[in-house]
Amino acid sequence: MKKIFSVFFAFVLLFGMIFSPGVIFAKNSGTDQYLLQFDGNVEKGLLKAFGVKDSDILHTFNLLPVVSLNLTEQQARGLANHPKIKGLEVNATVQALGQTVPWGVPRVQSPEANNLGFTGKGIKVAILDTGIDRNHEDLSANVKGGFSVFTDTANSDPYYDGSGHGTHVAGTVAAVDNQLGVIGVAKNAELYAVKVLNNSGSGSYEGIAKGIEWSIQNGMDIINMSLGGSSSSSILEQFCNLAYQEGILVVAAAGNSGTRPGRGDNVGYPAKYSSVIAVAATDQSDKRGTFSSTGPAVEISAPGVGILSTTPNNNYASYNGTSMASPHVAAVAALVWEAKPNLTNVELRQLLNQTAKNLGSATQYGHGLVQASAAIQY
Ligand SMILES: [Ca+2]
Ligand SMILES: [Ca+2]
């Protein structure tokens, strides 16, 4: 049995939104604050006629004939229908718009790549995981297809993610730039939900092989596998090799089996195979997450500590893990491939490695922190 590299749940953030000022009448027995616009000049006499006291007139604007005031529901209804009143609105609560840029997005130079004109457009990224909630407000525009390796009712829908893991990984790659929630590293990349892990986050090497096969047959450009196990499988390795030979860039989480001092060889499979890029996790200080696996197979690093992304049912949460680092690399690869479409997958891999920012120990960080614009401009 294979297990998702564990996810340490941190906290859920709720995002504020602007209230639509379409509701005219507040529903309670006392008064509520309104914004009232006159058709012409402000006439306080009219307000008096409706029984509005001076003390309930809170502010009179200078540039438009608008007053803010307290009204009962009855006063509001009466004024709203008066010919000298142009409009009446509840003074709604306003909060800052909700799109947060997760720290990993600028750390891998996504905004610079965007400024150069590259957003991952046209690049197909298969997320081999627990599925993707394609109804998510911050993903639906980018989820273009999917497939489940399971046949049981609970797991046969690739767009049902009972775990949240796959939806989180997908958001790091390509959450939409829409003033909601978060933004992905490659905000216009195409996401494909390939469900190879069930709603508990478990799967088999057979299932992963099926997901790779589907990805080859359906023309995927990049495969992200934020999953792994500790035992090797010759068959799984052959499927990874096949995808790589077919021109797909194959990216996987290095594993969360690291030791605190960062010694030892504990990268998992499939990341350990030579055809697969093993991604280590770093924190906001560009230091290795203490869980991040180490060893000669570590190839490159990316943010994986305190990563805010999408979770099912329009939620957002912050997770830790090399599972969160791998999609940063997959997404940077999408940005660079859009910019340099003539590169083979082998050349792209080499370019990402050669332009990564050196962070020190190769067995902990590989070539270092993946950098989108450095690779694009190389
Ligand atoms: Ca968004
Ligand atoms: Ca490898």
Side-chain angles (χ1 to χ4, degrees):
M1 193 205 72
K2 308 303 151 260
K3 185 163 143 292
I4 250 180
F5 286 138
S6 47
V7 170
F8 307 102
F9 182 82
F11 55 91
V12 177
L13 291 184
L14 295 173
F15 291 86
M17 55 185 286
I18 282 190
F19 270 40
S20 145
V23 183
I24 294 193
F25 305 112
K27 289 219 184 299
N28 68 47
S29 51
T31 60
D32 277 284
Q33 243 189 69
Y34 289 82
L35 289 166
L36 178 72
Q37 183 169 20
F38 286 81
D39 196 3
N41 295 326
V42 170
E43 290 185 40
K44 293 206 172 155
L46 178 65
L47 299 177
K48 245 182 199 135
F50 278 90
V52 179
K53 292 179 231 143
D54 282 345
S55 60
D56 281 326
I57 299 173
L58 306 170
H59 181 71
T60 303
F61 288 85
N62 294 315
L63 300 179
L64 283 174
V66 170
V67 294
S68 69
L69 71 182
N70 293 319
L71 298 173
T72 64
E73 186 183 347
Q74 197 186 2
Q75 289 169 333
R77 285 185 186 279
L79 281 164
N81 290 321
H82 196 277
K84 286 187 173 167
I85 299 301
K86 192 175 176 189
L88 180 67
E89 297 172 357
V90 170
N91 184 23
T93 307
V94 178
Q95 290 167 293
L97 270 174
Q99 184 163 277
T100 300
V101 179
W103 72 267
V105 171
R107 194 62 60 92
V108 299
Q109 300 182 327
S110 168
E112 290 92 330
N114 293 171
N115 290 340
L116 293 167
F118 306 108
T119 56
K121 200 171 173 55
I123 307 295
K124 296 175 172 21
V125 185
I127 309 294
L128 273 60
D129 215 291
T130 57
I132 301 174
D133 175 5
R134 79 165 158 188
N135 293 320
H136 197 292
E137 61 189 8
D138 222 355
L139 292 173
S140 58
N142 286 339
V143 179
K144 303 294 186 187
F147 165 70
S148 175
V149 304
F150 300 98
T151 52
D152 62 299
T153 315
N155 291 290
S156 60
D157 179 2
Y159 308 116
Y160 180 75
D161 175 11
S163 148
H165 190 271
T167 300
H168 195 279
V169 167
T172 294
V173 174
V176 177
D177 186 3
N178 57 359
Q179 299 193 320
L180 285 172
V182 292
I183 186 169
V185 171
K187 61 188 183 181
N188 290 324
E190 297 181 8
L191 296 168
Y192 288 79
V194 184
K195 189 171 169 93
V196 301
L197 301 174
N198 65 19
N199 294 325
S200 312
S202 294
S204 65
Y205 280 166
E206 180 215 26
I208 298 168
K210 279 183 185 165
I212 294 172
E213 189 173 70
W214 184 92
S215 300
I216 297 169
Q217 290 171 333
N218 288 273
M220 296 295 113
D221 298 304
I222 297 168
I223 290 175
N224 184 81
M225 291 186 280
S226 288
L227 52 84
S230 54
S231 63
S232 183
S233 152
S234 164
I235 304 280
L236 177 64
E237 181 171 18
Q238 290 175 58
F239 274 99
C240 290
N241 293 349
L242 194 58
Y244 196 51
Q245 284 157 22
E246 293 293 324
I248 298 176
L249 190 77
V250 189
V251 185
N256 298 337
S257 304
T259 58
R260 190 159 283 274
R263 288 189 292 269
D265 184 0
N266 40 47
V267 174
Y269 302 95
K272 205 165 188 175
Y273 300 132
S274 60
S275 54
V276 180
I277 299 174
V279 184
T282 51
D283 65 15
Q284 289 199 53
S285 308
D286 291 342
K287 296 292 179 209
R288 181 185 73 99
T290 52
F291 54 80
S292 186
S293 287
T294 54
V298 170
E299 185 160 339
I300 201 162
S301 297
V305 179
I307 303 302
L308 181 65
S309 187
T310 46
T311 55
N313 304 314
N314 292 337
N315 287 317
Y316 301 87
S318 188
Y319 288 176
N320 300 326
T322 52
S323 282
M324 284 65 244
S326 180
H328 282 86
V329 172
V332 166
L335 295 171
V336 178
W337 229 344
E338 182 195 6
K340 298 176 183 275
N342 294 329
L343 291 183
T344 66
N345 59 339
V346 178
E347 291 165 342
L348 174 60
R349 180 180 187 177
Q350 191 180 10
L351 179 61
L352 294 179
N353 286 335
Q354 143 181 25
T355 55
K357 182 183 173 192
N358 188 349
L359 297 178
S361 164
T363 55
Q364 294 187 357
Y365 302 101
H367 292 89
L369 185 66
V370 71
Q371 298 283 270
S373 73
I376 289 169
Q377 294 179 293
Y378 186 79

